[in-house]
Amino acid sequence: MEIVLILGATSDIGEAIAYHFASKGHPVYLAARNPEALTSIRSDLEIRFQIEVRIFQFDANLFATHSQFWQQLPRTPEITICVFGYLGKQNRAQLEWEETEKIINANYIGAVSLLNPVANQYEENKQGTIIGISSVAGERGRQSNYIYGSAKAAFTAYLSGLRNRLAKSGVHVATINPGFVDTKMTEGLPLPKPLTAQPKQVATAVYKAYRHKKNVTYTLWMWRWIMMIIKMIPERIFKKMKL
């Protein structure tokens, strides 16, 4: 059974993905900035599903360590899932470069820094799956979150380019656009319930993208059409809207 590496495993979505793949019999590698927080998850997964579970320290912001992190894994995971991210605060980012940098690093640069060596290895092996959790926020810039959205837009473009490059090598690259998700990261935000997914729904979408080699997946079907409409709004009208 293929090993799955989950980068950002302490997040609600990362944990849900770990449980979903483990329930299908996959060995799981859990990676996060604070590996101690993964101890109870590892124990539960091992007991409940009788699979191999390993924990690794991984910091998305320590770019210089990423290649070594990948090379020193005990076995090469056949599936790599990039879950980590940072929503941040738009108002603060407009005023403070540190907040902007944190958003960009967590949602784009950190992912590219790690996925570059992963992609190279998979291309050489002529097999592998890369799955990135992006966002519908990256499909059109909106005043309420355009710094986060621009980082996710870059990540979406990166995954699209990888997919185009690696297809001939038998490597699959999937982009997941969850829309709103009820997690610790969005706690306190006024999210509309009909448009808000649960972490388990995102995990199901990720697994289906892996199994059925889907290219771009929207966790809730309506987001595909919502974003299609939003992207069709003429710029002269869109720039006057408060979104």
Side-chain angles (χ1 to χ4, degrees):
M1 188 67 78
E2 293 183 319
I3 300 170
V4 56
L5 169 64
I6 302 172
L7 302 157
T10 53
S11 67
D12 294 327
I13 294 175
E15 182 178 342
I17 292 171
Y19 273 87
H20 197 100
F21 274 84
S23 72
K24 305 297 182 181
H26 288 270
V28 177
Y29 286 1
L30 304 173
R33 185 172 57 245
N34 180 18
E36 291 80 13
L38 296 167
T39 303
S40 61
I41 297 173
R42 177 182 63 185
S43 298
D44 189 41
L45 290 173
E46 288 175 334
I47 294 170
R48 186 179 304 201
F49 302 112
Q50 299 295 300
I51 58 164
E52 176 191 9
V53 182
R54 297 205 182 192
I55 294 175
F56 303 93
Q57 185 170 30
F58 172 79
D59 192 327
N61 293 313
L62 298 180
F63 314 132
T65 67
H66 291 178
S67 182
Q68 184 179 21
F69 163 82
W70 174 252
Q71 292 169 5
Q72 290 186 349
L73 292 173
R75 288 191 287 163
T76 299
E78 291 84 1
I79 308 164
T80 298
I81 306 177
C82 186
V83 185
F84 60 82
Y86 175 64
L87 182 60
K89 297 185 181 298
Q90 174 67 33
N91 291 338
R92 181 186 299 172
Q94 291 170 194
L95 301 173
E96 302 173 12
W97 168 248
E98 288 184 1
E99 180 74 354
T100 297
E101 187 176 39
K102 189 175 179 181
I103 292 170
I104 295 171
N105 286 347
N107 294 296
Y108 179 63
I109 299 177
V112 173
S113 175
L114 188 281
L115 292 181
N116 273 353
V118 174
N120 293 339
Q121 175 99 48
Y122 285 176
E123 186 174 39
E124 182 179 336
N125 295 347
K126 304 294 184 184
Q127 64 177 359
T129 300
I130 294 171
I131 301 176
I133 307 298
S134 191
S135 173
V136 297
E139 298 195 26
R140 190 163 191 179
R142 295 178 293 121
Q143 61 179 292
S144 60
N145 69 348
Y146 64 83
I147 292 180
Y148 170 80
S150 65
K152 285 299 189 181
F155 188 41
T156 293
Y158 173 79
L159 292 170
S160 178
L162 272 188
R163 187 159 46 245
N164 184 233
R165 166 194 162 193
L166 299 176
K168 62 181 180 293
S169 301
V171 178
H172 179 58
V173 179
T175 305
I176 310 297
N177 292 319
F180 300 133
V181 186
D182 183 15
T183 65
K184 292 188 291 286
M185 190 169 75
T186 60
E187 189 175 0
L189 297 178
L191 304 180
K193 287 187 177 180
L195 301 179
T196 303
Q198 296 300 315
K200 287 184 178 180
Q201 290 176 291
V202 180
T204 299
V206 167
Y207 186 77
K208 286 182 178 179
Y210 156 68
R211 288 288 295 166
H212 302 294
K213 296 191 180 299
K214 294 186 176 183
N215 297 317
V216 179
T217 298
Y218 293 81
T219 302
L220 299 180
W221 64 268
M222 67 281 290
W223 277 108
R224 183 183 299 274
W225 306 108
I226 290 171
M227 295 315 300
M228 183 179 296
I229 292 170
I230 288 176
K231 288 187 288 186
M232 290 174 62
I233 299 172
E235 194 67 21
R236 67 180 185 278
I237 297 174
F238 187 79
K239 67 183 182 182
K240 297 177 183 178
M241 300 173 69
K242 189 173 183 180
L243 294 173

